[in-house]
Structures are given as C-alpha cells and as structure tokens.
Amino acid sequence: MKQLIDKSIKELAVGLRNGDFSSVDLVSESIARINEIKTKTNSFISTVSNELVLNSAKEKDKNIKNVDNPLYGLPFTMKDIYQAKGTRTTSGSNVLIDYQSQYDSTVYKKVKDAGGILLGKNNLDAWGHGGSSENNDIGPVKNPYNLELSAGGSSGGPAVSVATRCVPYSIGEDTGGSIRNPSSWCGITGLKVTYGRVSRYGAIAYASSFDTVGPMAKTAEDCAYILENIAGYDPYDGNTSNIEVPKYSEIINNKLDYTIGVPKEFFVKGLDKEVETSIQNAVKELKKLGCKIKEVSFPLFDFGVALYYIIAPSETSSNLGRYDGIRYGNGRDKFTEETKRRILIGTYSLSSGYYDEYYNQAQKARTVLIETYNNIFKSCDAIISPVSPTLPIKIGELINDPIKNYLADIYTVTQNPAGVPSLAIPTGFSKNNLPIGMQIVGPHFSEDKLLNIGHQFQLVTKYHEIKPNI
Amino acid sequence: MTDVKKIAKLAKIEILPKHLKKFSDEFDSIVKLVSKIQELNLKDIKGTSNSTNLKNVTREDAIDTNRILSQEDALKNAKRVHNGYFVVDAILE
C-alpha cells in the first residue's frame, strides 16, 4: 500500500508547503499505522495522546508556509531512553516502568523546536544491554519481515517504526551497534555519529564514553536533514564538540572521489555467505560510482569483543549505581538477568586486584585501536564492514546464550571505543527476503563523507525503498 | 570459580540461591571470553578514556536556573516522601 510516509523528508517538506497534504494528514496516517503495527511487532512502549499530536499538527499547518525547516510538521518517535517532559521514560526496564520525565533531553528539545511532533517512544533492550531488543521487561521487538525473528537491537523499536512507515524517522542510540544492527536487520538507514557530535543530555546512560545519539530513517539523505538539526555543541554535555555542523544535505550531492578500504579480516569464516555476497556487490557499486577500492588490514579485529565487554560493563556498573529506588524508580531487584550480568562483570573488572588485568588493559587496548583506525584513515577516506555476521536471528536464540549474544556484536563494537562514526545502509535481501546491510566507517567528524557515500549509493540502488509486507 | 556472591554484594545485586550456579557459570564463561585482552602486549601504552581527546572541560560554578527542578518535580517520582523530603531507610541502628 502506498503511503505518504513512503516519501523522503525532502518530499514531505515540499508536499506540505505546496498544500498537497497537511501535517494533520501525516500525523493521522502515523496514528493509524502505529495502531496497526504496535501489537504485531511490540515496537512501542508508549504513545502520545491523539488529541495532543493532532492539535500540534493543526498548529504546524497554520505556520507551515513561514518555516523552512524540513522537519517542521513531521511526526517522529524516539527510543524510550530520551527524557521528554510529560512522557514516561522506562529504558525498557521495570526499574523505571512508571518513571515520568522531569525535563527534556537536548535531542528532543532540538527536534521539538524544529517542529517535529513526537508520536511515541520505542521498545529496546533495557538500558541498551543487548543486540536483539529482547533483554527487557516489555517483551521482544519482532522483525517486520518475519515475526518469529528479532528486529535487532538495542534500538529495535525505532528501526521497526521506520521500516513499517509508522513515522518518517526515529531517534536511536548507539553504544556498540544499537543503531546499526537493527537498521541492518530491518532494512533501513541508521547513523552512529562521532562521539560528541550530538548531545547526550537527557539520554539514559549505558556506557558514557561510548554512548552516541543518532538518526534512523529510510535514507542517508533523510539522516542528513535530521543530523543538521540535532548535532552541535551543548553546554549540558561536556563531551560535545565545538566543531561546526556542516550542511550535510548539500554535501551529500557531491560526486564520489573517495578511497574506500576493505579490511581483509572482516570477510572470513563466520560471516554469512549471503551477507558477504551482498556487501561485495555493494563495494562493486561504489567502484562504479567513482570510488577507489583498496584492501586494508585491521589486526585488532579479534580483540574488539573483549575490549568492549570490559569497558562497557565497567561504565554501566557505575552508571546504573544511581538506581537505588530512592529518588525515582524501583529497586535493583528489578534489573533483568542480562543487566545483572553486565553490572557484575563491570564491578569485577573495576575491583582492586583485577583492575589492571581487565579495565586498565582494555583502556590501553583502546589506545591501540584508535591508532589502528588513524593508520587506516591515512590512506582511506572510509572503510566498509558488515554490520552483523548473520541474517536476523530467531527470537530467544541470543537471550539464552550470553556468549553468542556478545559475539554477534563483533562488527559493531570497535567503532564506539574509538569514537568514529559509521553509517549503516541496506545492500539487499537474502533469498528468504530478509534485509542485509553494511557499514561505512570513517574518521572522527566525517559524517558528511559517510552520508555522501550513502546517498550516492542510494541514488543508484532501490533497497531502501523496499518495505515489509505487514 | 569466581566468588560471584561477593561481587554481587559489592554491586548491591541480589542473586537468589537457586540462580547462583547459573550466574556463576555464565560469569566464568564471560570472564574467559574477555580475558583474551591479556594476550596483547601493552606494557608501555597509556590508556584512553576519551576518544576525541577533549581535556578538562569545565563550566562556571554558577547556578543555571534553566535546569533547576522545582521541589514538586524533583519529588514527583519518589516512592516515599515526607514533608518535602525523600525518605530513606535508617542507616544507623
């Protein structure tokens, strides 16, 4: 079925201003679609009342001709970790199941000020702890291409909302693949930004030195428009950068003249054959578009999971120390098993006697990891990587096997410790009609190049236009 | 086998006796997985805690009234309040 929300952000912005349709039409379509999808896929934790969102849309329709911002009057959703005053923010956990936000996160404030209309908040792995959106107290998020499979995680709900055209875009969060993995498994485009490109103020923290806030949408072009609105310095997040926010939506139109590295260690046994073939074909497409392709080496690849699963649990054991049930939320007995495991591993690696062997050693490995990226980026503008080693996995398979669960993150856990940005885009479908994606990873603050590559690729491919039949 | 009970106590996490064996086994297999990091020789390397090289970001030590919660808002989510205070269990006997 053809929908208004099949259109790109740019097309929606033009259509609204030409009077082809109204913000009320868009929001009404969103409401109807969310009602159809939410129970089938378990992708929402809460929705904003119809009255509130329709009133907001009516107001936007009155002003639309006076406002240039392409997000003005468009509905959107957020992962349920972002504070928005007047909404419930649960992080997918019974610890915060009745927590009411007391203030606005910076990302929400920016999108709201741009004229975005929040329709609801999406399901996830609690606290971001997982890659399948089933380590939570809400139940698993189901993949819209096959409801027995996982939507990926931890931003599974946002990915489903975009894939099923409930909203034109969603705001996700990525600490070790949480935007990229569900984007890939649901056939959409998601951007993990450079650490500090977008403010984390008002985002519930998982691992503070890895956490990033980013857009999930149908296309790289849409991500460019969103990022222009949400990126930038914020005095409330000491790690945000002063570096100027480029006009991403213009830069993406450049012809491609980049050198793209393909790390040989990434395409080995363990990687699903269909995923490998799809990405190799995408690389050929990039070559046709004018990129030079170069084999490179990423020797630390095998150490990424160990590094990540020391530092991230260490930071989360500290961040989650605040949940004591006194000022807000319920007691620590309400943490899920996976969260308890991560708190225990983190506490262990930070404890005296083990600190040097684990936490300190991992922070040193992080220095070498950053040097590895720096060296590669001396001769390449970006590198190509799979997102997940497999196609979407059956619900229940990862949650019952912690080790398998961690190893599934192998391609997405080396970017966050290094702070580098990565764009996940669709590259095709398996013979069973399941989405496949790849990552384009670049140096710090190269979102402009990554979106440029993604957009030019999407101008000559159609995978991003395909949606699940649900 | 690691003393998971002791670590759980440090982290204020309760593990029911019937779950202890499962938790301990899983814990040991995760520690084995991440111990791979010790294969790297990193003797003279300095650790990194911030990937984008920011150092000593400070702000004025001043009150920002834009992000002060009212007493009512601050207490809104607490399960136990008394006369405008949070209630906590007695620490001293």
Side-chain angles (χ1 to χ4, degrees):
Chain A
M1 191 190 65
K2 208 69 183 135
Q3 289 178 247
L4 289 174
I5 298 172
D6 290 326
K7 294 180 193 296
S8 70
I9 287 179
K10 192 166 142 187
E11 289 167 342
L12 291 172
V14 171
L16 282 173
R17 283 157 186 83
N18 287 347
D20 300 339
F21 46 84
S22 66
S23 176
V24 168
D25 294 336
L26 273 178
V27 166
S28 303
E29 186 180 294
S30 265
I31 294 170
R33 192 66 183 140
I34 289 169
N35 283 333
E36 263 175 357
I37 293 296
K38 71 177 178 191
T39 319
K40 284 186 198 165
T41 60
N42 201 25
S43 48
F44 279 80
I45 293 181
S46 58
T47 49
V48 182
S49 84
N50 292 352
E51 192 192 340
L52 268 179
V53 292
L54 285 168
N55 281 342
S56 175
K58 275 179 208 153
E59 207 178 291
K60 303 290 189 295
D61 281 330
K62 279 186 213 148
N63 295 328
I64 188 78
K65 295 252 161 75
N66 308 319
V67 185
D68 287 337
N69 196 312
L71 301 188
Y72 194 82
L74 303 195
F76 74 104
T77 63
M78 303 193 289
K79 189 177 187 176
D80 199 22
I81 61 155
Y82 292 112
Q83 305 281 359
K85 202 169 176 175
T87 70
R88 191 161 64 104
T89 306
T90 69
S91 201
S93 170
N94 275 343
V95 173
L96 291 181
I97 203 69
D98 49 10
Y99 171 75
Q100 296 289 330
S101 281
Q102 291 145 309
Y103 63 101
D104 285 344
S105 52
T106 296
V107 68
Y108 173 62
K109 188 176 182 306
K110 284 193 170 194
V111 177
K112 188 175 64 171
D113 290 350
I117 303 171
L118 179 69
L119 268 275
K121 298 173 83 178
N122 296 117
N123 199 356
L124 67 159
D125 286 292
W127 318 101
H129 292 166
S132 55
S133 296
E134 53 187 335
N135 297 297
N136 63 29
D137 293 308
I138 316 292
V141 181
K142 296 171 185 170
N143 193 305
Y145 282 91
N146 177 341
L147 296 173
E148 287 178 8
L149 304 179
S150 162
S154 65
S155 309
V160 172
S161 294
V162 174
T164 58
R165 310 298 190 249
C166 287
V167 281
Y169 70 96
S170 185
I171 304 295
E173 188 276 347
D174 191 310
T175 303
S178 286
I179 284 178
R180 292 162 284 157
N181 167 269
S183 292
S184 161
W185 282 5
C186 293
I188 66 158
T189 303
L191 177 66
K192 178 237 171 271
V193 299
T194 307
Y195 184 71
R197 180 75 291 186
V198 179
S199 170
R200 301 159 305 158
Y201 178 70
I204 292 175
Y206 162 12
S208 298
S209 81
F210 296 176
D211 290 346
T212 55
V213 178
M216 299 171 78
K218 293 188 287 289
T219 64
E221 183 192 68
D222 286 356
C223 287
Y225 283 113
I226 302 158
L227 189 59
E228 278 168 12
N229 275 285
I230 63 175
Y233 174 72
D234 177 16
Y236 294 168
D237 178 354
N239 273 297
T240 49
S241 170
N242 277 314
I243 295 175
E244 199 185 330
V245 178
K247 194 81 182 140
Y248 300 110
S249 58
E250 286 172 11
I251 298 169
I252 57 170
N253 297 312
N254 294 346
K255 288 272 158 278
L256 299 188
D257 181 23
Y258 298 123
T259 303
I260 309 268
V262 181
K264 57 177 189 278
E265 292 85 353
F266 290 5
F267 297 88
V268 289
K269 73 171 173 27
L271 177 63
D272 181 279
K273 273 286 157 212
E274 287 190 271
V275 173
E276 179 172 357
T277 307
S278 177
I279 296 173
Q280 299 294 7
N281 288 338
V283 170
K284 283 180 203 153
E285 203 64 59
L286 290 177
K287 199 171 173 185
K288 276 196 242 164
L289 285 166
C291 293
K292 284 180 278 298
I293 310 296
K294 187 182 162 188
E295 188 182 90
V296 294
S297 178
F298 197 97
L300 269 187
F301 180 57
D302 282 344
F303 293 90
V305 167
L307 188 166
Y308 180 86
Y309 279 104
I310 293 170
I311 300 176
S314 296
E315 294 189 8
T316 218
S317 72
S318 169
N319 277 328
L320 270 52
R322 74 188 59 159
Y323 298 102
D324 54 13
I326 293 172
R327 290 157 301 149
Y328 44 79
N330 298 303
R332 296 175 75 75
D333 56 314
K334 297 285 192 289
F335 283 129
T336 61
E337 278 197 19
E338 179 57 27
T339 295
K340 285 181 181 173
R341 272 194 290 274
R342 292 193 192 200
I343 291 174
L344 293 181
I345 291 292
T347 305
Y348 176 79
S349 83
L350 290 172
S351 63
S352 71
Y354 299 104
Y355 182 85
D356 274 335
E357 279 174 69
Y358 292 96
Y359 183 74
N360 238 354
Q361 177 78 356
Q363 293 285 58
K364 288 179 182 176
R366 188 179 189 179
T367 305
V368 180
L369 177 73
I370 293 169
E371 281 167 13
T372 304
Y373 273 113
N374 287 344
N375 280 332
I376 291 176
F377 292 136
K378 275 182 199 154
S379 63
C380 296
D381 295 288
I383 58 174
I384 295 296
S385 165
V387 179
S388 169
T390 65
L391 296 166
I393 279 180
K394 232 182 156 104
I395 288 168
E397 224 171 273
L398 292 177
I399 196 172
N400 290 318
D401 187 344
I403 296 292
K404 193 173 174 185
N405 189 17
Y406 296 173
L407 289 172
D409 296 342
I410 189 159
Y411 288 108
T412 51
V413 288
T414 65
Q415 292 80 25
N416 300 67
V420 294
S422 171
L423 179 71
I425 57 170
T427 57
F429 287 83
S430 73
K431 56 181 187 302
N432 289 328
N433 196 35
L434 296 172
I436 298 171
M438 72 173 177
Q439 309 183 65
I440 313 164
V441 184
H444 289 159
F445 301 103
S446 65
E447 286 85 352
D448 51 351
K449 285 183 188 172
L450 305 184
L451 292 167
N452 183 196
I453 296 167
H455 178 57
Q456 294 301 315
F457 179 82
Q458 288 177 333
L459 286 176
V460 297
T461 56
K462 297 277 176 210
Y463 312 118
H464 58 283
E465 290 176 9
I466 298 169
K467 60 178 178 178
N469 187 13
I470 177 171
Chain B
M1 187 179 267
T2 324
D3 189 354
V4 169
K5 242 166 99 175
K6 187 182 162 202
I7 298 162
K9 195 177 164 217
L10 288 173
K12 281 201 158 51
I13 294 290
E14 192 189 6
I15 296 175
L16 299 172
K18 62 176 178 183
H19 295 149
L20 190 62
K21 168 85 172 69
K22 182 172 176 272
F23 255 96
S24 300
D25 289 349
E26 283 168 354
F27 186 90
D28 285 339
S29 58
I30 296 168
V31 169
K32 197 174 149 207
L33 176 78
V34 300
S35 291
K36 186 173 172 66
I37 205 77
Q38 285 148 14
E39 291 171 20
L40 292 170
N41 179 5
L42 303 170
K43 215 169 64 118
D44 299 318
I45 310 272
K46 272 182 79 174
T48 299
S49 56
N50 176 291
S51 58
T52 47
N53 301 320
L54 292 174
K55 280 201 177 72
N56 298 334
V57 177
T58 58
R59 61 166 174 80
E60 282 301 307
D61 186 15
I63 294 167
D64 176 355
T65 51
N66 288 322
R67 54 168 181 172
I68 291 179
L69 296 182
S70 67
Q71 188 181 33
E72 189 193 342
D73 273 348
L75 292 168
K76 201 170 68 181
N77 280 290
K79 296 275 181 277
R80 293 185 295 166
V81 295
H82 178 72
N83 287 346
Y85 290 94
F86 296 108
V87 175
V88 297
D89 291 331
I91 294 165
L92 301 171
E93 305 246 319

